[in-house]
Amino acid sequence: MARSIAIASGKGGVGKTTIVANLGIALSMLNSKVLLVDADVAMANLSLIFNLHNPPITLHEVLMGEANIEDAIYAGPQNVEVVPSGLSLESYRRTDPERLKQVLGALEERYDYILIDVPAGIERTTLASLSAAKQTLLVTTPDPPSVADALKTKMVAQRLMSKPFGFIVNMVYGEKGELRKDRISEMLELPCYGIIPFDKEVRKTFISRGTLPIILRKPNSPAAKAVKVIAQKLGGKEAEIKEPKQSFFSKLFGIFKRK
Ligand SMILES: Nc1ncnc2c1ncn2[C@@H]1O[C@H](COP(=O)(O)OP(=O)(O)OP(=O)(O)O)[C@@H](O)[C@H]1O
Ligand SMILES: [Mg+2]
């Protein structure tokens, strides 16, 4: 029976899609059978990471009731399987997001993990994507507004019976003023599953077509290693979460700012 996990945030642009792709590959490297679902039906991005351009059948057709989910599953790298969303606004308008839960429920026996890329915010598509997963893993940056919005998402997920069980901090620079993981843990009342540093190499996957996700391209980079730690922790293994020390220059800058 698959563990279905909604990868969700309050704010947009904090790295959900990037994490779904890289974490999915990391879990697959640990021999899990993984399905990644782009439930961001309005602003689909996951297909771009996997170089799936204009796939003939997508989650749009499935949620319109015009296709079977089996026909919307594509092979990704490292044995990961992917359900992309469509790019057309016209077909998006005709989707019924409420179908997602039932559609994914039918696949549960076949996978160890189903990771769902949830749209940011609390619109109808977000609520339907959260409801489709049994659990929610929150993504936030180390900034107070991002954590505050993640808290709202946590509360919404709880109401929808998608149990929030942890959070990931992404795009950590190690600068003064960033919230530390223990503080975020207090605010969200959840354990930390990983800290992913800001690394401009991560962005290259979106910038140039055909560029592999960081976990395959630079498996020994700090960002890739951080994702592997999350995968291990999801599997119940103890793994050390490295939190960058606040750099000398940022501390120095902080001293000047206080004056
Ligand atoms: N750790 C990181 N270091 C540097 N850049 C990152 C990191 N994580 C994500 N990014 C970049 O930040 C941008 C936003 O990431 P992504 O699209 O994964 O976020 P998202 O939460 O899915 O956004 P949206 O809410 O719009 O769906 C992308 O250009 C991505 O490459
Ligand atoms: Mg996204």
Side-chain angles (χ1 to χ4, degrees), residues 16-18 40 43 45 117-118 206:
K16 295 174 297 297
T17 304
T18 303
D40 199 345
M43 300 285 168
N45 282 159
D117 187 3
V118 177
F206 271 140

Side-chain angles (χ1 to χ4, degrees), residues 48-178:
L48 303 178
I49 296 189
F50 290 117
N51 227 3
L52 286 167
H53 296 281
N54 291 322
I57 298 178
T58 71
L59 191 61
H60 279 191
E61 285 70 34
V62 177
L63 297 182
M64 284 193 277
E66 290 180 2
N68 198 313
I69 184 75
E70 308 289 337
D71 300 322
I73 300 176
Y74 297 82
Q78 204 72 35
N79 294 326
V80 160
E81 293 180 23
V82 187
V83 176
S85 246
L87 300 175
S88 150
L89 280 178
E90 184 46 40
S91 63
Y92 155 66
R93 267 197 289 273
R94 289 166 49 214
T95 58
D96 175 6
E98 315 297 327
R99 285 181 202 248
L100 187 64
K101 188 180 176 129
Q102 197 197 345
V103 162
L104 296 185
L107 297 175
E108 278 189 347
E109 298 299 330
R110 294 203 342 224
Y111 298 94
D112 298 311
Y113 290 93
I114 298 179
L115 301 187
I116 304 176
D117 187 3
V118 177
I122 44 171
E123 300 300 322
R124 201 166 70 105
T125 51
T126 307
L127 304 186
S129 321
L130 287 169
S131 319
K134 294 199 189 86
Q135 300 185 321
T136 290
L137 182 58
L138 297 164
V139 181
T140 180
T141 62
D143 313 307
S146 179
V147 178
D149 289 356
L151 184 58
K152 282 186 207 149
T153 303
K154 178 195 166 190
M155 292 189 290
V156 172
Q158 266 166 337
R159 260 183 245 152
L160 295 168
M161 309 302 282
S162 177
K163 190 178 180 332
F165 67 95
F167 67 88
I168 296 168
V169 198
N170 189 28
M171 304 193 196
V172 174
Y173 286 88
E175 282 181 350
K176 195 170 168 65
E178 289 182 350

